[in-house]
Amino acid sequence: MDEPREPAELLKAAADDDRTAWDELESRFGPRMWAVARACGLNSADAADAVQGAWLRLLEHLHTIRDPAGIGAWLATTTRREAIRILRKEPPGLPFCDVVFDPDPASAVLEADGSRLLWQAVSTLNEPCRTLLLLVATGQGSQQVAMRLGVPAGSVGPTRARCLNKLRTLISQQETVQ
């Protein structure tokens, strides 16, 4: 049996239209991409869209990947970004995807579970905290958050601090129950 090819070699072969390289990339990294999409809280159909979107991004950037050896991390990150794009189309308050690539699958699962629990706690907060924390977590600036919430920009910081304190209290109460 042949030795598995290195990720950088697979990427180069895929760029040269080697179908077996594409198949090997998919079999090696596809399951992790699906796990990332599902850990973001996507249903099967949306997870399929996120994974397919990540493969499309790879095809678009095939010749410009800066670190071909890190293609697994690149695909996981791109899948997470595609999942976030899908989640942003959903009403505020849904879980936010915060999965990072970790070569240790057990660690990745624990981290994804922690993120899921965090966003479950956020989803129980009242407005405007729920939406504010979701917007801040997705990288929205104070001006954008203020516009989305219909509040003055100067109130975003103090409101965020109050919301984070509520979240800390809620999480610490949950931890004492467990």
Side-chain angles (χ1 to χ4, degrees):
M1 183 170 197
D2 290 333
E3 193 76 20
R5 294 189 273 182
E6 292 295 317
E9 181 185 343
L10 283 174
L11 196 60
K12 182 181 180 328
D16 292 335
D17 294 326
D18 179 345
R19 181 65 194 163
T20 61
W22 279 107
D23 291 343
E24 195 172 336
L25 282 167
E26 197 283 325
S27 67
R28 188 178 301 180
F29 300 112
R32 175 161 299 228
M33 294 166 68
W34 274 92
V36 167
R38 292 305 297 239
C40 291
L42 297 179
N43 62 33
S44 293
D46 287 340
D49 288 346
V51 171
Q52 182 178 8
W55 286 117
L56 179 60
R57 298 295 161 258
L58 176 60
L59 187 58
E60 293 170 347
H61 299 283
L62 198 53
H63 299 285
T64 60
I65 303 289
R66 282 184 259 171
D67 180 17
I71 191 60
W74 190 94
L75 286 166
T77 299
T78 304
T79 303
R80 179 181 54 82
R81 288 179 180 155
E82 289 293 313
I84 291 168
R85 184 186 57 73
I86 291 167
L87 287 171
R88 283 184 178 158
K89 293 179 181 178
E90 298 293 328
L94 290 177
F96 173 76
C97 175
D98 188 21
V99 179
V100 295
F101 179 77
D102 190 326
D104 175 17
S107 176
V109 168
L110 290 174
E111 186 167 334
D113 190 51
S115 294
R116 183 184 54 80
L117 293 174
L118 170 67
W119 289 104
Q120 279 181 340
V122 169
S123 71
T124 66
L125 293 171
N126 293 326
E127 292 296 342
C129 288
R130 183 174 48 233
T131 300
L132 184 142
L133 292 176
L134 179 66
L135 293 172
V136 168
T138 58
Q140 305 292 313
S142 291
Q143 291 288 1
Q144 294 162 316
V145 172
M147 285 186 353
R148 289 281 302 270
L149 295 177
V151 299
S155 71
V156 171
T159 304
R160 179 178 56 224
R162 284 191 298 278
C163 292
L164 287 172
N165 282 333
K166 288 178 185 178
L167 181 61
R168 279 187 204 99
T169 300
L170 181 62
I171 290 171
S172 65
Q173 289 171 346
Q174 288 176 348
E175 288 174 349
T176 58
V177 171
Q178 296 173 358

